[in-house]
Amino acid sequence: MTGYFVAFITGLTTGGLSCLAVQGGLLASSLASQIENEMKGRTGKNKAKPNVAQPIVWFLLSKLIAYTILGFFLGWLGSVLQLNPISRAILQIVIGIFMVGQAMRLFNVHPIFRYFNIEPPKFITRFIRRKSKNGSQVVTPLFMGALTVLIPCGITQVMMASAIATANPLAGAALMFSFILGTSPVFFVVAYFATRIGERMEKYFMKFVAVVVLILGLIGINSGLNLLGSPLSFNNIVSLITGNSPVQASSPTSNNLEGSAGNPVVTGYNPGDCKMNISQNSSTPQVVCGLNADGSGYSSSPILPGGITGTEQPPTPQNAVPAPAETQELVINVENYGYSPEISHAKAGVPVKLTLVSNNVHSCALAFVIPTLNEQVLLKPTGTYDIDIPAQAVDTRLRFSCSMGMYTGMIIFDL
Amino acid sequence: MKITYNIPDMHCSNCVMHLEALEDELQGVISVDASYHNQRMVVDFNPAIISEDQLIEAIVEKGYTVG
């Protein structure tokens, strides 16, 4: 029972706001349809206020049911079930484009944007209409609420991983139910009062909704770009311009970067060859990379329970001159509002032992992703986690972010 | 008999459902097929039971303009 209570409190505190930032767009889209319909019907003597509470409740109820079912399946599967960073980024960008299109439609920019409004099939609308007089006001928020399972925020992903770890369908369902129930009051309060404020600006309200949807859409696209590791995202452009808090890597053997000069550069390395395999059923997840000293083959480093990496040195080929077994160390602090430092500098051609340090962190920054290495890891709120990064070419910019692309950072191999 | 109306002030798919409800509300209307994308609605009706003027009146009562 304690676990469910913790899940509820997590949802009520960090989870609610974190997920609102990610899924707020779907709720806004849902409310936009509702309010638009209400205002359209408000002609003549009908001056009733838009009933925004009802669609919010439908949205949250649908979300609660959808995630409970998801928790059931996660518990049943008992294995990792998550999109890789690239597919999640693409999904996020597509959703962002959809939202921007919706905003353009609300602004009435061009008739073509009407096609961003998905019309449900005729037989469904007819069925719903005949079953319920308020069909149209129910279906949209219900649909949108269920869609949120496709874009879980970092905290939700942590909870989903916990649901998998229960390896029990009912326990997984109960855990997700407790968490989403906790997030619901935050969603309701923020969404409800946001719409009340908007109502006072009646004349401009639809424009206001359109602006909100537009901003959320742009944020979604930007997060997707961050997740892809694209240099075109807003955060990366700003970081490059400001050169935010650069930090240099240190050598564990000498603490002197000059001393590591002359190390062989690993060539022929393909970043896509690097994978972190994490299995809930295994006590020793593996980082598997193509980082042998001669640039061929693979080596692996088992990650011990608790997130500590037991690093194995790459096997030395027979008759080969053994390369200096040197790595450089980088420490990045995982914080509630991002990563510190956001930009680090490291020596090219030398592997990096990246240590992530979290201390009482409860934000989605815990879901750490390096897209180009296809690495993703869910960190503990307090602890350290080591990731072995293979040697990179000169001027490589290795971007990392939280799993939703909200918090970002970069390692530049330019030393 | 089928007739097509331009409805220039349909705002979303909720309007579609709103207008298509006429097939349940008006006697003599066989089916209503509205499209938000095209801003049009096609009404299949029996002119012996309901007139065109009555149809237009019902649409206007719902708050829409017949173009």
Side-chain angles (χ1 to χ4, degrees):
Chain A
M1 284 301 291
T2 308
Y4 302 135
F5 183 70
V6 169
F8 178 81
I9 295 299
T10 305
L12 193 61
T13 51
T14 57
L17 289 175
S18 169
C19 293
L20 191 66
V22 173
Q23 300 166 348
L26 282 179
L27 180 55
S29 297
S30 173
L31 287 177
S33 297
Q34 169 69 28
I35 291 163
E36 200 176 16
N37 195 38
E38 291 271 345
M39 291 186 71
K40 179 70 190 173
R42 233 191 312 170
T43 54
K45 295 175 184 176
N46 184 5
K47 289 290 182 185
K49 291 180 177 179
N51 180 15
V52 291
Q54 187 183 326
I56 298 172
V57 169
W58 285 124
F59 179 93
L60 294 175
L61 189 64
S62 170
K63 186 182 166 199
L64 186 64
I65 293 169
Y67 272 100
T68 303
I69 293 170
L70 179 66
F72 183 90
F73 280 106
L74 290 175
W76 175 64
L77 288 172
S79 60
V80 174
L81 184 69
Q82 55 184 344
L83 293 170
N84 67 35
I86 302 299
S87 25
R88 196 161 44 231
I90 292 169
L91 180 65
Q92 207 154 331
I93 290 171
V94 168
I95 290 173
I97 291 171
F98 175 75
M99 290 171 65
V100 171
Q102 283 280 7
M104 294 296 109
R105 180 183 72 81
L106 290 168
F107 280 128
N108 214 7
V109 171
H110 190 277
I112 198 161
F113 289 108
R114 288 182 200 140
Y115 288 90
F116 278 91
N117 196 64
I118 300 168
E119 289 187 31
K122 205 70 62 185
F123 72 93
I124 290 179
T125 56
R126 186 171 287 136
F127 172 80
I128 292 163
R129 192 181 66 239
R130 288 175 181 174
K131 289 292 177 189
S132 167
K133 287 181 180 176
N134 295 322
S136 63
Q137 299 168 13
V138 174
V139 172
T140 306
L142 277 180
F143 184 62
M144 295 295 182
L147 271 187
T148 58
V149 295
L150 297 175
I151 50 168
C153 67
I155 301 289
T156 307
Q157 288 172 33
V158 172
M159 214 48 69
M160 286 164 66
S162 303
I164 293 169
T166 62
N168 179 316
L170 293 179
L175 192 75
M176 291 308 295
F177 177 86
S178 306
F179 173 71
I180 298 299
L181 192 66
T183 64
S184 298
V186 182
F187 263 75
F188 186 88
V189 168
V190 173
Y192 186 81
F193 284 103
T195 52
R196 292 286 122 178
I197 290 166
E199 193 185 336
R200 296 196 190 107
M201 309 186 272
E202 262 194 41
K203 188 178 175 184
Y204 305 102
F205 190 62
M206 289 321 297
K207 303 293 181 200
F208 171 74
V209 171
V211 168
V212 172
V213 173
L214 178 65
I215 291 170
L216 289 171
L218 292 174
I219 289 173
I221 293 171
N222 188 59
S223 297
L225 289 172
N226 279 330
L227 204 48
L228 278 176
S230 167
L232 299 176
S233 74
F234 179 76
N235 312 53
N236 288 331
I237 291 171
V238 168
S239 292
L240 278 177
I241 292 171
T242 58
N244 205 353
S245 56
V247 165
Q248 293 182 346
S250 64
S251 162
T253 52
S254 62
N255 283 332
N256 179 354
L257 284 166
E258 297 300 320
S260 61
N263 280 327
V265 176
V266 176
T267 57
Y269 165 67
N270 175 8
D273 289 340
C274 197
K275 288 183 170 58
M276 174 176 284
N277 298 328
I278 303 170
S279 167
Q280 294 292 325
N281 295 329
S282 168
S283 59
T284 56
Q286 303 280 315
V287 178
V288 183
C289 298
L291 61 136
N292 284 348
D294 62 353
S296 63
Y298 290 83
S299 68
S300 64
S301 49
I303 300 168
L304 304 177
I308 306 300
T309 308
T311 304
E312 292 180 356
Q313 293 302 323
T316 305
Q318 284 187 339
N319 302 323
V321 178
E326 189 167 5
T327 58
Q328 50 189 333
E329 288 187 348
L330 266 181
V331 177
I332 292 177
N333 292 309
V334 179
E335 299 170 351
N336 279 319
Y337 299 101
Y339 304 104
S340 177
E342 287 182 12
I343 297 179
S344 304
H345 292 266
K347 186 174 178 60
V350 179
V352 174
K353 180 186 175 189
L354 174 63
T355 301
L356 302 169
V357 180
S358 54
N359 186 9
N360 200 23
V361 177
H362 296 281
S363 76
C364 66
L366 290 175
F368 184 85
V369 172
I370 305 178
T372 52
L373 297 184
N374 198 24
E375 290 199 6
Q376 52 185 332
V377 61
L378 292 172
L379 304 168
K380 291 183 174 180
T382 299
T384 61
Y385 198 99
D386 291 347
I387 296 176
D388 293 326
I389 298 174
Q392 303 288 314
V394 178
D395 286 336
T396 298
R397 293 169 187 271
L398 199 63
R399 292 182 170 82
F400 56 83
S401 70
C402 71
S403 63
M404 294 307 292
M406 293 163 66
Y407 304 122
T408 61
M410 176 167 55
I411 302 170
I412 305 174
F413 292 81
D414 60 351
L415 297 178
Chain B
M1 178 180 178
K2 283 189 179 181
I3 191 161
T4 301
Y5 295 114
N6 288 324
I7 312 292
D9 46 6
M10 271 198 261
H11 288 76
C12 58
S13 54
N14 285 329
C15 295
V16 172
M17 292 184 71
H18 206 44
L19 287 167
E20 287 182 343
L22 285 172
E23 67 185 23
D24 294 334
E25 295 166 4
L26 297 177
Q27 270 201 325
V29 173
I30 300 160
S31 71
V32 178
D33 190 357
S35 167
Y36 163 66
H37 296 156
N38 299 320
Q39 303 277 288
R40 282 179 192 162
M41 65 185 286
V42 180
V43 185
D44 188 1
F45 67 105
N46 184 344
I49 301 174
I50 187 167
S51 69
E52 249 191 87
D53 287 344
Q54 286 173 307
L55 274 177
I56 292 171
E57 191 181 337
I59 295 167
V60 172
E61 267 183 24
K62 281 186 173 287
Y64 297 94
T65 311
V66 179

PDB file of all heavy atoms in Angstrom, chain A residues 27 30-31 34 38 50-61 132-139 141-142 188 192 196:
ATOM      1  N   LEU A  27      -5.044  18.425 -23.682  1.00  0.00           N
ATOM      2  CA  LEU A  27      -6.158  18.944 -22.892  1.00  0.00           C
ATOM      3  C   LEU A  27      -6.666  20.248 -23.496  1.00  0.00           C
ATOM      4  O   LEU A  27      -7.873  20.475 -23.583  1.00  0.00           O
ATOM      5  CB  LEU A  27      -5.706  19.165 -21.441  1.00  0.00           C
ATOM      6  CG  LEU A  27      -6.756  19.705 -20.474  1.00  0.00           C
ATOM      7  CD1 LEU A  27      -7.989  18.818 -20.458  1.00  0.00           C
ATOM      8  CD2 LEU A  27      -6.183  19.807 -19.068  1.00  0.00           C
ATOM      9  N   SER A  30      -8.689  19.578 -26.513  1.00  0.00           N
ATOM     10  CA  SER A  30      -9.974  19.052 -26.076  1.00  0.00           C
ATOM     11  C   SER A  30     -10.892  20.183 -25.630  1.00  0.00           C
ATOM     12  O   SER A  30     -12.059  20.261 -26.010  1.00  0.00           O
ATOM     13  CB  SER A  30      -9.732  18.066 -24.932  1.00  0.00           C
ATOM     14  OG  SER A  30     -10.935  17.661 -24.372  1.00  0.00           O
ATOM     15  N   LEU A  31     -10.330  21.086 -24.837  1.00  0.00           N
ATOM     16  CA  LEU A  31     -11.128  22.208 -24.336  1.00  0.00           C
ATOM     17  C   LEU A  31     -11.481  23.184 -25.450  1.00  0.00           C
ATOM     18  O   LEU A  31     -12.564  23.770 -25.448  1.00  0.00           O
ATOM     19  CB  LEU A  31     -10.352  22.944 -23.244  1.00  0.00           C
ATOM     20  CG  LEU A  31     -10.249  22.217 -21.906  1.00  0.00           C
ATOM     21  CD1 LEU A  31      -9.403  23.023 -20.954  1.00  0.00           C
ATOM     22  CD2 LEU A  31     -11.622  21.979 -21.321  1.00  0.00           C
ATOM     23  N   GLN A  34     -14.524  22.064 -27.142  1.00  0.00           N
ATOM     24  CA  GLN A  34     -15.679  22.223 -26.260  1.00  0.00           C
ATOM     25  C   GLN A  34     -16.117  23.687 -26.190  1.00  0.00           C
ATOM     26  O   GLN A  34     -17.279  24.019 -26.389  1.00  0.00           O
ATOM     27  CB  GLN A  34     -15.307  21.728 -24.860  1.00  0.00           C
ATOM     28  CG  GLN A  34     -16.329  22.067 -23.779  1.00  0.00           C
ATOM     29  CD  GLN A  34     -17.619  21.295 -23.955  1.00  0.00           C
ATOM     30  OE1 GLN A  34     -17.605  20.199 -24.510  1.00  0.00           O
ATOM     31  NE2 GLN A  34     -18.726  21.866 -23.533  1.00  0.00           N
ATOM     32  N   GLU A  38     -19.502  25.559 -27.379  1.00  0.00           N
ATOM     33  CA  GLU A  38     -20.343  26.266 -26.412  1.00  0.00           C
ATOM     34  C   GLU A  38     -20.591  27.707 -26.865  1.00  0.00           C
ATOM     35  O   GLU A  38     -21.699  28.212 -26.803  1.00  0.00           O
ATOM     36  CB  GLU A  38     -19.654  26.286 -25.045  1.00  0.00           C
ATOM     37  CG  GLU A  38     -19.580  24.928 -24.385  1.00  0.00           C
ATOM     38  CD  GLU A  38     -20.793  24.624 -23.527  1.00  0.00           C
ATOM     39  OE1 GLU A  38     -21.528  25.572 -23.241  1.00  0.00           O
ATOM     40  OE2 GLU A  38     -21.002  23.459 -23.170  1.00  0.00           O
ATOM     41  N   PRO A  50     -19.637  28.798 -20.628  1.00  0.00           N
ATOM     42  CA  PRO A  50     -19.192  27.531 -21.196  1.00  0.00           C
ATOM     43  C   PRO A  50     -18.954  26.499 -20.082  1.00  0.00           C
ATOM     44  O   PRO A  50     -18.363  26.817 -19.053  1.00  0.00           O
ATOM     45  CB  PRO A  50     -17.870  27.896 -21.878  1.00  0.00           C
ATOM     46  CG  PRO A  50     -17.909  29.358 -22.065  1.00  0.00           C
ATOM     47  CD  PRO A  50     -18.743  29.911 -20.956  1.00  0.00           C
ATOM     48  N   ASN A  51     -19.447  25.293 -20.328  1.00  0.00           N
ATOM     49  CA  ASN A  51     -19.275  24.243 -19.341  1.00  0.00           C
ATOM     50  C   ASN A  51     -17.937  23.558 -19.569  1.00  0.00           C
ATOM     51  O   ASN A  51     -17.860  22.530 -20.227  1.00  0.00           O
ATOM     52  CB  ASN A  51     -20.435  23.244 -19.470  1.00  0.00           C
ATOM     53  CG  ASN A  51     -20.308  22.124 -18.481  1.00  0.00           C
ATOM     54  OD1 ASN A  51     -19.539  22.207 -17.527  1.00  0.00           O
ATOM     55  ND2 ASN A  51     -21.059  21.062 -18.715  1.00  0.00           N
ATOM     56  N   VAL A  52     -16.881  24.149 -19.011  1.00  0.00           N
ATOM     57  CA  VAL A  52     -15.553  23.591 -19.256  1.00  0.00           C
ATOM     58  C   VAL A  52     -15.202  22.499 -18.264  1.00  0.00           C
ATOM     59  O   VAL A  52     -14.301  21.705 -18.515  1.00  0.00           O
ATOM     60  CB  VAL A  52     -14.464  24.692 -19.215  1.00  0.00           C
ATOM     61  CG1 VAL A  52     -14.606  25.622 -20.390  1.00  0.00           C
ATOM     62  CG2 VAL A  52     -14.496  25.442 -17.909  1.00  0.00           C
ATOM     63  N   ALA A  53     -15.910  22.480 -17.135  1.00  0.00           N
ATOM     64  CA  ALA A  53     -15.587  21.461 -16.124  1.00  0.00           C
ATOM     65  C   ALA A  53     -15.842  20.065 -16.669  1.00  0.00           C
ATOM     66  O   ALA A  53     -15.062  19.134 -16.436  1.00  0.00           O
ATOM     67  CB  ALA A  53     -16.402  21.704 -14.861  1.00  0.00           C
ATOM     68  N   GLN A  54     -16.946  19.934 -17.413  1.00  0.00           N
ATOM     69  CA  GLN A  54     -17.331  18.609 -17.903  1.00  0.00           C
ATOM     70  C   GLN A  54     -16.278  17.977 -18.829  1.00  0.00           C
ATOM     71  O   GLN A  54     -15.868  16.836 -18.603  1.00  0.00           O
ATOM     72  CB  GLN A  54     -18.675  18.706 -18.604  1.00  0.00           C
ATOM     73  CG  GLN A  54     -19.235  17.347 -19.004  1.00  0.00           C
ATOM     74  CD  GLN A  54     -20.537  17.502 -19.778  1.00  0.00           C
ATOM     75  OE1 GLN A  54     -21.308  18.407 -19.520  1.00  0.00           O
ATOM     76  NE2 GLN A  54     -20.768  16.612 -20.718  1.00  0.00           N
ATOM     77  N   PRO A  55     -15.803  18.708 -19.864  1.00  0.00           N
ATOM     78  CA  PRO A  55     -14.784  18.071 -20.705  1.00  0.00           C
ATOM     79  C   PRO A  55     -13.485  17.776 -19.968  1.00  0.00           C
ATOM     80  O   PRO A  55     -12.797  16.806 -20.286  1.00  0.00           O
ATOM     81  CB  PRO A  55     -14.555  19.083 -21.833  1.00  0.00           C
ATOM     82  CG  PRO A  55     -15.117  20.353 -21.350  1.00  0.00           C
ATOM     83  CD  PRO A  55     -16.222  20.009 -20.409  1.00  0.00           C
ATOM     84  N   ILE A  56     -13.149  18.625 -18.987  1.00  0.00           N
ATOM     85  CA  ILE A  56     -11.924  18.344 -18.215  1.00  0.00           C
ATOM     86  C   ILE A  56     -12.084  17.028 -17.467  1.00  0.00           C
ATOM     87  O   ILE A  56     -11.176  16.188 -17.426  1.00  0.00           O
ATOM     88  CB  ILE A  56     -11.616  19.495 -17.218  1.00  0.00           C
ATOM     89  CG1 ILE A  56     -11.359  20.805 -17.972  1.00  0.00           C
ATOM     90  CG2 ILE A  56     -10.402  19.142 -16.366  1.00  0.00           C
ATOM     91  CD1 ILE A  56     -11.242  22.019 -17.056  1.00  0.00           C
ATOM     92  N   VAL A  57     -13.268  16.849 -16.881  1.00  0.00           N
ATOM     93  CA  VAL A  57     -13.528  15.613 -16.131  1.00  0.00           C
ATOM     94  C   VAL A  57     -13.484  14.405 -17.066  1.00  0.00           C
ATOM     95  O   VAL A  57     -12.883  13.381 -16.745  1.00  0.00           O
ATOM     96  CB  VAL A  57     -14.890  15.694 -15.407  1.00  0.00           C
ATOM     97  CG1 VAL A  57     -15.288  14.334 -14.859  1.00  0.00           C
ATOM     98  CG2 VAL A  57     -14.827  16.711 -14.280  1.00  0.00           C
ATOM     99  N   TRP A  58     -14.098  14.537 -18.245  1.00  0.00           N
ATOM    100  CA  TRP A  58     -14.075  13.429 -19.205  1.00  0.00           C
ATOM    101  C   TRP A  58     -12.654  13.112 -19.634  1.00  0.00           C
ATOM    102  O   TRP A  58     -12.255  11.957 -19.758  1.00  0.00           O
ATOM    103  CB  TRP A  58     -14.932  13.754 -20.434  1.00  0.00           C
ATOM    104  CG  TRP A  58     -16.405  13.670 -20.200  1.00  0.00           C
ATOM    105  CD1 TRP A  58     -17.332  14.653 -20.417  1.00  0.00           C
ATOM    106  CD2 TRP A  58     -17.139  12.535 -19.702  1.00  0.00           C
ATOM    107  NE1 TRP A  58     -18.588  14.210 -20.087  1.00  0.00           N
ATOM    108  CE2 TRP A  58     -18.500  12.909 -19.649  1.00  0.00           C
ATOM    109  CE3 TRP A  58     -16.786  11.258 -19.296  1.00  0.00           C
ATOM    110  CZ2 TRP A  58     -19.494  12.051 -19.207  1.00  0.00           C
ATOM    111  CZ3 TRP A  58     -17.782  10.397 -18.850  1.00  0.00           C
ATOM    112  CH2 TRP A  58     -19.120  10.800 -18.815  1.00  0.00           C
ATOM    113  N   PHE A  59     -11.904  14.176 -19.884  1.00  0.00           N
ATOM    114  CA  PHE A  59     -10.499  14.020 -20.290  1.00  0.00           C
ATOM    115  C   PHE A  59      -9.729  13.245 -19.220  1.00  0.00           C
ATOM    116  O   PHE A  59      -9.015  12.272 -19.521  1.00  0.00           O
ATOM    117  CB  PHE A  59      -9.885  15.411 -20.497  1.00  0.00           C
ATOM    118  CG  PHE A  59      -8.439  15.417 -20.903  1.00  0.00           C
ATOM    119  CD1 PHE A  59      -8.072  15.455 -22.238  1.00  0.00           C
ATOM    120  CD2 PHE A  59      -7.438  15.400 -19.949  1.00  0.00           C
ATOM    121  CE1 PHE A  59      -6.737  15.474 -22.618  1.00  0.00           C
ATOM    122  CE2 PHE A  59      -6.102  15.416 -20.307  1.00  0.00           C
ATOM    123  CZ  PHE A  59      -5.752  15.458 -21.645  1.00  0.00           C
ATOM    124  N   LEU A  60      -9.881  13.687 -17.969  1.00  0.00           N
ATOM    125  CA  LEU A  60      -9.115  13.067 -16.887  1.00  0.00           C
ATOM    126  C   LEU A  60      -9.583  11.651 -16.603  1.00  0.00           C
ATOM    127  O   LEU A  60      -8.780  10.763 -16.303  1.00  0.00           O
ATOM    128  CB  LEU A  60      -9.217  13.938 -15.618  1.00  0.00           C
ATOM    129  CG  LEU A  60      -8.563  15.316 -15.740  1.00  0.00           C
ATOM    130  CD1 LEU A  60      -8.808  16.146 -14.490  1.00  0.00           C
ATOM    131  CD2 LEU A  60      -7.062  15.182 -15.992  1.00  0.00           C
ATOM    132  N   LEU A  61     -10.884  11.445 -16.718  1.00  0.00           N
ATOM    133  CA  LEU A  61     -11.427  10.100 -16.490  1.00  0.00           C
ATOM    134  C   LEU A  61     -10.892   9.133 -17.547  1.00  0.00           C
ATOM    135  O   LEU A  61     -10.462   8.012 -17.236  1.00  0.00           O
ATOM    136  CB  LEU A  61     -12.958  10.144 -16.535  1.00  0.00           C
ATOM    137  CG  LEU A  61     -13.679   8.867 -16.116  1.00  0.00           C
ATOM    138  CD1 LEU A  61     -13.413   8.550 -14.654  1.00  0.00           C
ATOM    139  CD2 LEU A  61     -15.181   9.000 -16.356  1.00  0.00           C
ATOM    140  N   SER A 132     -26.198   9.581 -26.823  1.00  0.00           N
ATOM    141  CA  SER A 132     -26.052  10.669 -25.860  1.00  0.00           C
ATOM    142  C   SER A 132     -26.251  12.011 -26.544  1.00  0.00           C
ATOM    143  O   SER A 132     -25.670  12.288 -27.574  1.00  0.00           O
ATOM    144  CB  SER A 132     -24.654  10.626 -25.235  1.00  0.00           C
ATOM    145  OG  SER A 132     -24.394  11.814 -24.554  1.00  0.00           O
ATOM    146  N   LYS A 133     -27.062  12.832 -25.944  1.00  0.00           N
ATOM    147  CA  LYS A 133     -27.308  14.152 -26.526  1.00  0.00           C
ATOM    148  C   LYS A 133     -26.046  15.002 -26.534  1.00  0.00           C
ATOM    149  O   LYS A 133     -25.887  15.905 -27.324  1.00  0.00           O
ATOM    150  CB  LYS A 133     -28.401  14.876 -25.735  1.00  0.00           C
ATOM    151  CG  LYS A 133     -29.788  14.311 -25.986  1.00  0.00           C
ATOM    152  CD  LYS A 133     -30.808  15.085 -25.206  1.00  0.00           C
ATOM    153  CE  LYS A 133     -32.205  14.523 -25.461  1.00  0.00           C
ATOM    154  NZ  LYS A 133     -33.223  15.188 -24.646  1.00  0.00           N
ATOM    155  N   ASN A 134     -25.161  14.720 -25.578  1.00  0.00           N
ATOM    156  CA  ASN A 134     -23.928  15.495 -25.471  1.00  0.00           C
ATOM    157  C   ASN A 134     -22.746  14.768 -26.088  1.00  0.00           C
ATOM    158  O   ASN A 134     -21.616  14.929 -25.683  1.00  0.00           O
ATOM    159  CB  ASN A 134     -23.618  15.801 -24.002  1.00  0.00           C
ATOM    160  CG  ASN A 134     -24.672  16.681 -23.405  1.00  0.00           C
ATOM    161  OD1 ASN A 134     -25.175  17.585 -24.056  1.00  0.00           O
ATOM    162  ND2 ASN A 134     -25.041  16.388 -22.174  1.00  0.00           N
ATOM    163  N   GLY A 135     -23.040  13.918 -27.055  1.00  0.00           N
ATOM    164  CA  GLY A 135     -21.985  13.089 -27.637  1.00  0.00           C
ATOM    165  C   GLY A 135     -20.744  13.851 -28.032  1.00  0.00           C
ATOM    166  O   GLY A 135     -19.643  13.475 -27.667  1.00  0.00           O
ATOM    167  N   SER A 136     -20.904  14.931 -28.750  1.00  0.00           N
ATOM    168  CA  SER A 136     -19.734  15.632 -29.262  1.00  0.00           C
ATOM    169  C   SER A 136     -18.895  16.233 -28.133  1.00  0.00           C
ATOM    170  O   SER A 136     -17.711  16.436 -28.286  1.00  0.00           O
ATOM    171  CB  SER A 136     -20.178  16.739 -30.214  1.00  0.00           C
ATOM    172  OG  SER A 136     -20.948  17.680 -29.522  1.00  0.00           O
ATOM    173  N   GLN A 137     -19.546  16.532 -27.021  1.00  0.00           N
ATOM    174  CA  GLN A 137     -18.810  17.135 -25.916  1.00  0.00           C
ATOM    175  C   GLN A 137     -18.110  16.084 -25.066  1.00  0.00           C
ATOM    176  O   GLN A 137     -17.330  16.417 -24.177  1.00  0.00           O
ATOM    177  CB  GLN A 137     -19.768  17.944 -25.033  1.00  0.00           C
ATOM    178  CG  GLN A 137     -20.431  19.073 -25.782  1.00  0.00           C
ATOM    179  CD  GLN A 137     -21.572  19.681 -25.003  1.00  0.00           C
ATOM    180  OE1 GLN A 137     -21.728  19.428 -23.826  1.00  0.00           O
ATOM    181  NE2 GLN A 137     -22.375  20.473 -25.666  1.00  0.00           N
ATOM    182  N   VAL A 138     -18.438  14.857 -25.316  1.00  0.00           N
ATOM    183  CA  VAL A 138     -17.857  13.774 -24.534  1.00  0.00           C
ATOM    184  C   VAL A 138     -16.729  13.099 -25.301  1.00  0.00           C
ATOM    185  O   VAL A 138     -15.653  12.851 -24.763  1.00  0.00           O
ATOM    186  CB  VAL A 138     -18.948  12.733 -24.166  1.00  0.00           C
ATOM    187  CG1 VAL A 138     -18.322  11.534 -23.469  1.00  0.00           C
ATOM    188  CG2 VAL A 138     -20.003  13.375 -23.288  1.00  0.00           C
ATOM    189  N   VAL A 139     -16.986  12.858 -26.572  1.00  0.00           N
ATOM    190  CA  VAL A 139     -16.060  12.043 -27.353  1.00  0.00           C
ATOM    191  C   VAL A 139     -14.683  12.686 -27.485  1.00  0.00           C
ATOM    192  O   VAL A 139     -13.658  12.032 -27.275  1.00  0.00           O
ATOM    193  CB  VAL A 139     -16.635  11.756 -28.759  1.00  0.00           C
ATOM    194  CG1 VAL A 139     -15.592  11.072 -29.623  1.00  0.00           C
ATOM    195  CG2 VAL A 139     -17.846  10.878 -28.634  1.00  0.00           C
ATOM    196  N   PRO A 141     -12.933  15.007 -25.634  1.00  0.00           N
ATOM    197  CA  PRO A 141     -12.048  14.887 -24.466  1.00  0.00           C
ATOM    198  C   PRO A 141     -11.729  13.441 -24.094  1.00  0.00           C
ATOM    199  O   PRO A 141     -10.618  13.160 -23.623  1.00  0.00           O
ATOM    200  CB  PRO A 141     -12.811  15.588 -23.336  1.00  0.00           C
ATOM    201  CG  PRO A 141     -14.178  15.801 -23.825  1.00  0.00           C
ATOM    202  CD  PRO A 141     -14.151  15.774 -25.315  1.00  0.00           C
ATOM    203  N   LEU A 142     -12.670  12.541 -24.323  1.00  0.00           N
ATOM    204  CA  LEU A 142     -12.397  11.127 -24.033  1.00  0.00           C
ATOM    205  C   LEU A 142     -11.268  10.612 -24.915  1.00  0.00           C
ATOM    206  O   LEU A 142     -10.342   9.946 -24.453  1.00  0.00           O
ATOM    207  CB  LEU A 142     -13.652  10.278 -24.283  1.00  0.00           C
ATOM    208  CG  LEU A 142     -14.694  10.206 -23.172  1.00  0.00           C
ATOM    209  CD1 LEU A 142     -15.865   9.334 -23.597  1.00  0.00           C
ATOM    210  CD2 LEU A 142     -14.096   9.675 -21.876  1.00  0.00           C
ATOM    211  N   PHE A 188      -6.871  19.434 -13.321  1.00  0.00           N
ATOM    212  CA  PHE A 188      -8.199  20.049 -13.273  1.00  0.00           C
ATOM    213  C   PHE A 188      -8.106  21.515 -12.865  1.00  0.00           C
ATOM    214  O   PHE A 188      -8.683  22.392 -13.519  1.00  0.00           O
ATOM    215  CB  PHE A 188      -9.106  19.286 -12.292  1.00  0.00           C
ATOM    216  CG  PHE A 188     -10.522  19.792 -12.301  1.00  0.00           C
ATOM    217  CD1 PHE A 188     -11.445  19.277 -13.200  1.00  0.00           C
ATOM    218  CD2 PHE A 188     -10.915  20.811 -11.453  1.00  0.00           C
ATOM    219  CE1 PHE A 188     -12.744  19.759 -13.240  1.00  0.00           C
ATOM    220  CE2 PHE A 188     -12.212  21.309 -11.489  1.00  0.00           C
ATOM    221  CZ  PHE A 188     -13.125  20.776 -12.385  1.00  0.00           C
ATOM    222  N   TYR A 192      -9.032  24.388 -15.401  1.00  0.00           N
ATOM    223  CA  TYR A 192     -10.293  25.063 -15.113  1.00  0.00           C
ATOM    224  C   TYR A 192     -10.095  26.571 -14.960  1.00  0.00           C
ATOM    225  O   TYR A 192     -10.781  27.371 -15.578  1.00  0.00           O
ATOM    226  CB  TYR A 192     -10.919  24.490 -13.841  1.00  0.00           C
ATOM    227  CG  TYR A 192     -12.289  25.037 -13.546  1.00  0.00           C
ATOM    228  CD1 TYR A 192     -13.413  24.524 -14.196  1.00  0.00           C
ATOM    229  CD2 TYR A 192     -12.471  26.080 -12.653  1.00  0.00           C
ATOM    230  CE1 TYR A 192     -14.672  25.029 -13.954  1.00  0.00           C
ATOM    231  CE2 TYR A 192     -13.726  26.593 -12.400  1.00  0.00           C
ATOM    232  CZ  TYR A 192     -14.827  26.066 -13.042  1.00  0.00           C
ATOM    233  OH  TYR A 192     -16.072  26.578 -12.806  1.00  0.00           O
ATOM    234  N   ARG A 196     -11.365  29.923 -17.093  1.00  0.00           N
ATOM    235  CA  ARG A 196     -12.162  30.993 -16.470  1.00  0.00           C
ATOM    236  C   ARG A 196     -11.549  32.358 -16.767  1.00  0.00           C
ATOM    237  O   ARG A 196     -12.234  33.319 -17.026  1.00  0.00           O
ATOM    238  CB  ARG A 196     -12.224  30.804 -14.951  1.00  0.00           C
ATOM    239  CG  ARG A 196     -13.011  29.598 -14.502  1.00  0.00           C
ATOM    240  CD  ARG A 196     -14.483  29.822 -14.665  1.00  0.00           C
ATOM    241  NE  ARG A 196     -15.011  28.792 -15.534  1.00  0.00           N
ATOM    242  CZ  ARG A 196     -16.290  28.671 -15.861  1.00  0.00           C
ATOM    243  NH1 ARG A 196     -17.182  29.511 -15.405  1.00  0.00           N
ATOM    244  NH2 ARG A 196     -16.693  27.721 -16.656  1.00  0.00           N
TER     245      ARG A 196
END
